[in-house]
Amino acid sequence: MSLKYTEDHEWINVDGDIATVGITHHAQDALGDVVFVDLPEVGATIAQKEVAGVVESVKAAADVYMPVSGEVTEVNEALRADPSLANSDPLGAGWFFKVKLSDAGEVAALLDETAYTAFAANA
């Protein structure tokens, strides 16, 4: 497993050719209480940096961007039913979707935890 981050505050956990995607602690802190998530369709092929979904909170709405190109293989129905999981457990039960990587090389360009922590501190 390999946890990486984007400058748009998504995290991605790669296991083989499948990656799980969600929003970071920083993102959920900035948004406040999440009240709705719009998740992509299973089977959708989405390019890196394209909008894959939306997260809405009591304060704002934000796009969720695809950290890597690929095909959506699963969405978190528990999150759709209980969007507050994005706040209470953003790196665990609050994951958004899973994607089959179409270009594993894209993962290498993402931020590691040290680089993301430094980036988020200045965001």
Side-chain angles (χ1 to χ4, degrees):
M1 285 194 312
S2 172
L3 194 59
K4 296 281 196 163
Y5 302 87
T6 71
E7 291 184 354
D8 294 312
H9 307 288
E10 290 89 20
W11 59 264
I12 179 170
N13 190 1
V14 179
D15 189 3
D17 66 345
I18 301 293
T20 304
V21 177
I23 62 171
T24 65
H25 282 285
H26 179 85
Q28 67 86 24
D29 280 343
L31 284 166
D33 293 336
V34 175
V35 296
F36 175 78
V37 293
D38 181 23
L39 302 172
E41 294 291 322
V42 171
T45 299
I46 304 172
Q48 185 180 37
K49 299 185 180 179
E50 285 188 354
V51 175
V54 176
V55 59
E56 294 182 14
S57 73
V58 294
K59 296 193 306 189
D63 290 332
V64 176
Y65 296 96
M66 184 64 93
V68 293
S69 301
E71 179 183 345
V72 177
T73 61
E74 185 179 351
V75 296
N76 187 352
E77 293 297 343
L79 181 65
R80 195 186 313 258
D82 182 6
S84 70
L85 290 171
N87 294 116
S88 62
D89 193 10
L91 296 176
W95 62 275
F96 279 58
F97 55 88
K98 295 187 180 188
V99 59
K100 181 175 172 119
L101 304 175
S102 58
D103 181 357
E106 292 175 341
V107 175
L110 300 175
L111 303 173
D112 63 18
E113 186 170 2
T114 301
Y116 177 73
T117 300
F119 172 80
N122 297 313

